[in-house]
Amino acid sequence: MEVMKLKKPNIVILGAGYAGMITATRLTKQLGHNEANITLVNKHEYHYQTTWLHEPAAGTLSPDRTRMPINSVLDLNKIKFVKDSVVEIKREEKKVLLQNGEIEFDYLVVCLGAEAETFGVPGVHEYAFSKWTVNGAREVKEHIEYQFAKYNNTPEPQDELLTFIVAGAGFTGIEFIGELSERLPELCAHYDVPKEKVKMYVIEAAPTALPGFDPELVEYGMNLLESRGVEFKINCPIKEVTETGVTLASGDEIKASTVVWATGVRGSSIIDKSGFENMRGRIKVDLDLRAPGHDNIFVIGDCALMINEEINRPYPPTAQIAMQMAEVCATNIKALMKGDSLKTFKPDIKGTVASLGGKEAIGVVGTRKLFGSSAHFMKKMIDNRYLFLLGGPGLVLKRGKSPM
Amino acid sequence: MEVMKLKKPNIVILGAGYAGMITATRLTKQLGHNEANITLVNKHEYHYQTTWLHEPAAGTLSPDRTRMPINSVLDLNKIKFVKDSVVEIKREEKKVLLQNGEIEFDYLVVCLGAEAETFGVPGVHEYAFSKWTVNGAREVKEHIEYQFAKYNNTPEPQDELLTFIVAGAGFTGIEFIGELSERLPELCAHYDVPKEKVKMYVIEAAPTALPGFDPELVEYGMNLLESRGVEFKINCPIKEVTETGVTLASGDEIKASTVVWATGVRGSSIIDKSGFENMRGRIKVDLDLRAPGHDNIFVIGDCALMINEEINRPYPPTAQIAMQMAEVCATNIKALMKGDSLKTFKPDIKGTVASLGGKEAIGVVGTRKLFGSSAHFMKKMIDNRYLFLLGGPGLVLKRGKSPM
């Protein structure tokens, strides 16, 4: 009879992204085996590194290098893994509806990640690639290669097959076009396509690429990408995505059989569906990372909204902040269980590096600006540091990136 | 003043397939530099081995392994290469219209290869993959991988994405499904697709697969392919290829987003366009391989029709016969130039092997039936023997296939 077990609180983590995985590893370390039942719910049996996905999407890295089986990182003797999709959080009933069942919680960690933000532009879901997941990256890669393969098999040359539009010059858009433009010579050679036939556009509604980034770095990045054939259209909102390309606010059309949508993200649609007060799928969390009015529900990662008081704007939804939130969240759950007081969360932004493909990158670390190969080196270090935080030196050795 | 040059006859070879390449190598060897101007016209700068294309089409071999730059095999000091497409042969005017010019000939070798035979079935060109070329093979491969990549990204499972139909259980169809079925476990693993979701059909109108092949070998092949999940529909004509799959003569529909058309070939459409008497693009050639009524036009390879008197049926359009024709054609052109009598052509069929993917094949060599790995070994030997005939041992070493 497992009577004792009933007394253990149920801690349920929703989502195995950066926030969920770090929370899970920290909780399994900090809590003894008899202190709590910890459960992780995730749609797939694997965890993936969202910030690496521009590489498999452009075909410069195998998608398998960007994911790992959850049971290869977490000790499933200490945490229960449920492969299922979250349908709704029943806050008052303290349970979560899943596609194939339901699960009760005493403490809940909501880290369901982000979804593409369309800003109401019609046609995005129908005609653009907007899912930044392993499945989505694989689809973009195969779609691109299929367009190249089709090009020489059409009786009349269809140049739109070789036109690639990236909507949004933020981090994702820039990193993706960096990889694609770097790979272009190889693609052209493999498919017997003249390089001058390929057109790559990055279209951005804001007055600059990489808004908020250092202007000198932005200029370096744009010059580099332009030298590889990328054309920037800045200050240029997209009105609609269609079957044949995009229509700009000006009314002009650019024909393209590939449109990648990367204008930014919103939180998970489950947030709104579950009745939380939210802004674009994000919950403005308390300083201890709990949802307002809920003692036992933590919201971290891309679904959490926190204002940077210095500039009166929200912190961006980054992996870096998600992982820092996870550390505090795990600590606070343990404190709650013991009746201790909770820590407040304060992001500590160590730096930001955007890769540009090949050995190129731009970034800021501390107060230092980095260009080219030193920024590239730092980018690999950041990717490896995450693996270190998640699984220690063993995981870096097994799954890390060579910085050279 | 190049007065002497005008006296040299112009030998023009149309097409750089098996027949054209062997004719070119033999003529450049047999004729001295001052005896003739030899020109080879081909659409691409490369020659490819049509009989290998089921491998890149299924993704088991790089397409670059199935082709070679023409100038890497032929000595362009001895033969002129013109990269252009043939539009029409002006027989009486002794010239060939090309897309970008024209070329005069004293002797013409027509070896323009084959095109897909649709047998009047509607929708083949619109909805099926029927081009057995490097470009065509690349497109099939990328299309297949794209369907796998899409599968996990559709909200409702669309099983037709994972249904692959091969129309025709002849050599090409069987060899292609052999490669694809062999590669399937790898594809399923890479794209996270359950193997049982994948359906592979081979649909054949005739009462047997591989008509004309030894029944015991056919049974071996079918059993093997069935064990990999291939379903045969024999005696089952296709009425129409549609956007969503195929409609059978019975009225039944099979939904599939990939239909590969491999029901056999006809000769080049240039033959009919140029006013030659022909049957399905093939000219019933004289025994010396000339077109009836034309002293100076040889027709060899897939555009040549020759009756096997023993069974009163045409010899099949194979690489083996094309190469044997090329040897006789080169000899006969030299004989014509010297006023000697011409040789008659008689095929010497050494054997036939169909690969089934992996280390499996079936075949007949002489009177011996071969199965499994011995047939597989023989298939590689046949592939390498062609390279030997074309470019000697050096080409086998450089481009050959390991028989192990």
Side-chain angles (χ1 to χ4, degrees):
Chain A
M1 301 295 287
E2 299 192 46
V3 176
M4 286 303 290
K5 225 178 184 174
L6 292 174
K7 293 186 174 171
K8 286 199 279 180
N10 287 329
I11 305 175
V12 175
I13 304 168
L14 302 181
Y18 292 101
M21 289 300 282
I22 295 289
T23 305
T25 57
R26 295 307 176 266
L27 280 176
T28 51
K29 260 185 217 163
Q30 290 172 20
L31 293 177
H33 201 268
N34 294 316
E35 291 181 84
N37 299 314
I38 313 173
T39 305
L40 172 66
V41 179
N42 195 54
K43 202 166 160 181
H44 307 290
E45 267 158 350
Y46 54 85
H47 157 73
Y48 60 87
Q49 295 104 281
T50 313
T51 60
W52 298 23
L53 289 174
H54 54 284
E55 298 180 53
T60 52
L61 186 75
S62 163
D64 286 337
R65 286 286 309 278
T66 65
R67 63 174 176 176
M68 54 189 85
I70 285 169
N71 67 11
S72 73
V73 186
L74 294 179
D75 180 352
L76 297 193
N77 293 315
K78 296 183 179 168
I79 186 167
K80 188 180 167 199
F81 173 64
V82 175
K83 186 188 173 219
D84 210 335
S85 293
V86 175
V87 174
E88 192 184 336
I89 299 160
K90 294 281 187 191
R91 299 176 292 159
E92 304 310 329
E93 300 164 48
K94 290 190 177 185
K95 68 182 184 187
V96 179
L97 302 187
L98 307 175
Q99 208 156 30
N100 305 303
E102 56 179 60
I103 188 166
E104 296 187 350
F105 63 84
D106 297 298
Y107 302 100
L108 185 68
V109 183
V110 180
C111 34
L112 287 163
E115 294 172 10
E117 175 61 271
T118 69
F119 298 108
V121 174
V124 173
H125 293 305
E126 294 82 353
Y127 305 118
F129 295 94
S130 64
K131 288 183 207 150
W132 229 239
T133 60
V134 169
N135 284 330
R138 257 186 328 218
E139 189 175 3
V140 170
K141 172 194 181 269
E142 299 300 345
H143 177 83
I144 291 171
E145 292 178 358
Y146 187 39
Q147 307 315 301
F148 273 90
K150 277 204 276 194
Y151 183 74
N152 279 320
N153 276 337
T154 47
E156 297 291 312
Q158 290 187 273
D159 289 347
E160 58 268 36
L161 287 172
L162 300 178
T163 301
F164 301 93
I165 292 177
V166 175
F171 244 70
T172 304
I174 292 294
E175 292 198 313
F176 171 69
I177 205 71
E179 294 298 316
L180 185 63
S181 61
E182 168 70 15
R183 193 186 168 208
L184 201 62
E186 174 209 312
L187 280 168
C188 289
H190 183 76
Y191 295 98
D192 299 324
V193 164
K195 192 162 180 289
E196 62 274 14
K197 286 284 176 193
V198 179
K199 300 265 174 292
M200 295 174 288
Y201 294 97
V202 174
I203 304 178
E204 170 61 53
T208 173
L210 293 171
F213 221 56
D214 179 272
E216 193 190 356
L217 294 176
V218 174
E219 205 194 324
Y220 178 91
M222 286 177 75
N223 286 342
L224 178 80
L225 293 171
E226 280 169 351
S227 77
R228 294 191 195 140
V230 175
E231 189 174 321
F232 282 91
K233 289 186 173 289
I234 301 296
N235 234 329
C236 178
I238 290 173
K239 198 164 70 183
E240 188 176 357
V241 185
T242 67
E243 210 178 336
T244 54
V246 299
T247 310
L248 305 177
S250 64
D252 290 350
E253 202 198 339
I254 303 179
K255 290 200 175 216
S257 58
T258 308
V259 179
V260 173
W261 195 259
T263 62
V265 294
R266 51 185 294 136
S268 165
S269 50
I270 303 292
I271 298 295
D272 193 59
K273 205 171 161 190
S274 304
F276 289 99
E277 195 179 322
N278 70 88
M279 289 167 65
R280 305 202 285 128
R282 303 177 79 193
I283 298 171
K284 194 165 176 302
V285 290
D286 295 336
L287 287 176
D288 56 20
L289 299 176
R290 285 186 289 185
H294 295 277
D295 284 349
N296 58 341
I297 301 180
F298 290 83
V299 183
I300 61 176
D302 295 348
C303 293
L305 180 70
M306 193 169 253
I307 301 295
N308 181 347
E309 304 290 351
E310 288 169 29
I311 54 173
N312 200 29
R313 288 191 54 186
Y315 283 106
T318 65
Q320 189 175 179
I321 290 177
M323 292 187 284
Q324 292 177 4
M325 284 176 160
E327 304 267 5
V328 172
C329 172
T331 303
N332 280 354
I333 286 176
K334 188 177 176 183
L336 263 187
M337 286 170 62
K338 311 228 169 213
D340 295 343
S341 63
L342 305 197
K343 274 178 73 172
T344 61
F345 174 71
K346 172 99 181 106
D348 170 23
I349 296 173
K350 296 182 194 304
T352 314
V353 183
S355 70
L356 299 171
K359 302 255 179 246
E360 285 285 349
I362 45 177
V364 177
V365 174
T367 56
R368 268 192 72 193
K369 293 183 203 177
L370 299 175
F371 301 83
S373 59
S374 59
H376 170 74
F377 180 88
M378 193 53 69
K379 180 77 178 180
K380 302 287 176 195
M381 289 294 97
I382 290 169
D383 288 347
N384 289 341
R385 183 165 181 276
Y386 166 63
L387 296 177
F388 183 84
L389 288 173
L390 182 62
L395 195 61
V396 178
L397 277 174
K398 215 166 77 182
R399 310 292 316 234
K401 287 177 172 173
S402 161
M404 295 309 156
Chain B
M1 301 292 291
E2 298 191 47
V3 176
M4 286 303 291
K5 224 175 187 177
L6 292 173
K7 292 184 174 172
K8 286 199 276 180
N10 287 327
I11 305 174
V12 175
I13 305 168
L14 303 180
Y18 293 101
M21 289 299 282
I22 295 288
T23 306
T25 57
R26 295 308 177 265
L27 281 176
T28 51
K29 261 186 216 163
Q30 291 172 20
L31 294 177
H33 201 267
N34 294 315
E35 290 180 86
N37 300 313
I38 313 173
T39 306
L40 173 65
V41 180
N42 195 54
K43 204 167 160 181
H44 306 291
E45 268 157 349
Y46 55 84
H47 156 73
Y48 59 86
Q49 294 104 280
T50 313
T51 60
W52 298 23
L53 289 175
H54 54 283
E55 298 180 54
T60 52
L61 186 75
S62 162
D64 286 338
R65 286 286 310 278
T66 67
R67 64 174 174 174
M68 53 189 87
I70 284 170
N71 67 11
S72 74
V73 187
L74 295 178
D75 180 351
L76 297 193
N77 293 314
K78 294 182 179 169
I79 185 168
K80 189 180 165 195
F81 173 64
V82 174
K83 185 187 173 219
D84 210 336
S85 293
V86 175
V87 174
E88 191 184 336
I89 299 160
K90 293 284 188 188
R91 300 177 292 158
E92 304 309 329
E93 301 164 46
K94 293 191 174 184
K95 68 184 184 188
V96 178
L97 303 187
L98 307 175
Q99 207 155 30
N100 305 301
E102 55 179 60
I103 188 166
E104 296 186 350
F105 64 83
D106 297 299
Y107 303 100
L108 185 68
V109 184
V110 180
C111 35
L112 287 162
E115 294 172 10
E117 176 61 89
T118 68
F119 298 107
V121 173
V124 173
H125 293 306
E126 294 82 352
Y127 305 117
F129 295 94
S130 64
K131 288 183 205 152
W132 228 238
T133 60
V134 169
N135 283 330
R138 258 187 325 220
E139 190 176 2
V140 170
K141 172 193 181 269
E142 298 300 345
H143 178 82
I144 290 170
E145 293 177 357
Y146 187 39
Q147 308 315 301
F148 273 90
K150 278 202 277 194
Y151 183 73
N152 279 320
N153 274 336
T154 47
E156 296 292 312
Q158 289 188 274
D159 289 348
E160 59 266 36
L161 287 172
L162 300 178
T163 302
F164 302 93
I165 292 178
V166 175
F171 244 70
T172 305
I174 292 292
E175 292 198 313
F176 171 70
I177 205 71
E179 296 297 317
L180 185 63
S181 60
E182 167 71 15
R183 192 187 169 208
L184 201 62
E186 174 209 312
L187 279 169
C188 289
H190 183 76
Y191 295 99
D192 298 324
V193 165
K195 192 162 180 290
E196 62 275 14
K197 285 285 176 193
V198 178
K199 300 266 174 292
M200 295 174 289
Y201 294 97
V202 174
I203 304 178
E204 169 62 53
T208 172
L210 292 170
F213 221 55
D214 179 272
E216 193 189 354
L217 294 176
V218 174
E219 205 194 322
Y220 178 91
M222 286 177 74
N223 286 343
L224 178 79
L225 293 172
E226 281 169 350
S227 77
R228 294 192 196 140
V230 176
E231 188 174 322
F232 283 91
K233 289 187 172 289
I234 302 295
N235 237 329
C236 178
I238 290 173
K239 198 164 70 181
E240 189 176 358
V241 185
T242 67
E243 210 178 337
T244 53
V246 299
T247 310
L248 305 176
S250 64
D252 290 349
E253 203 198 338
I254 304 179
K255 291 199 176 219
S257 58
T258 308
V259 179
V260 173
W261 195 260
T263 63
V265 295
R266 51 185 294 136
S268 165
S269 49
I270 303 292
I271 300 294
D272 194 60
K273 205 171 163 191
S274 305
F276 290 98
E277 196 177 320
N278 70 87
M279 289 167 65
R280 305 203 286 131
R282 302 177 80 193
I283 298 170
K284 194 166 177 301
V285 290
D286 295 336
L287 287 176
D288 56 20
L289 299 176
R290 286 185 290 186
H294 295 277
D295 285 349
N296 58 341
I297 301 181
F298 291 82
V299 182
I300 60 175
D302 295 348
C303 292
L305 181 70
M306 193 168 251
I307 301 295
N308 182 346
E309 303 290 352
E310 288 169 29
I311 55 172
N312 200 29
R313 288 191 55 186
Y315 284 105
T318 64
Q320 189 176 181
I321 290 178
M323 291 187 285
Q324 292 177 4
M325 284 177 161
E327 304 267 5
V328 172
C329 172
T331 304
N332 281 354
I333 286 176
K334 189 177 175 184
L336 262 187
M337 285 171 62
K338 309 227 172 215
D340 295 342
S341 63
L342 304 198
K343 276 178 72 171
T344 60
F345 174 72
K346 173 100 180 103
D348 171 22
I349 297 173
K350 296 181 194 306
T352 315
V353 183
S355 69
L356 299 171
K359 303 254 180 243
E360 285 285 351
I362 45 177
V364 177
V365 174
T367 56
R368 270 191 71 191
K369 293 184 203 176
L370 299 175
F371 301 82
S373 58
S374 60
H376 171 74
F377 180 87
M378 193 53 70
K379 180 77 178 179
K380 302 285 177 197
M381 290 294 97
I382 290 169
D383 288 347
N384 289 342
R385 181 163 182 277
Y386 166 63
L387 297 177
F388 184 83
L389 288 174
L390 182 64
L395 195 62
V396 179
L397 278 174
K398 215 166 77 182
R399 309 292 315 236
K401 288 178 173 174
S402 160
M404 295 311 157

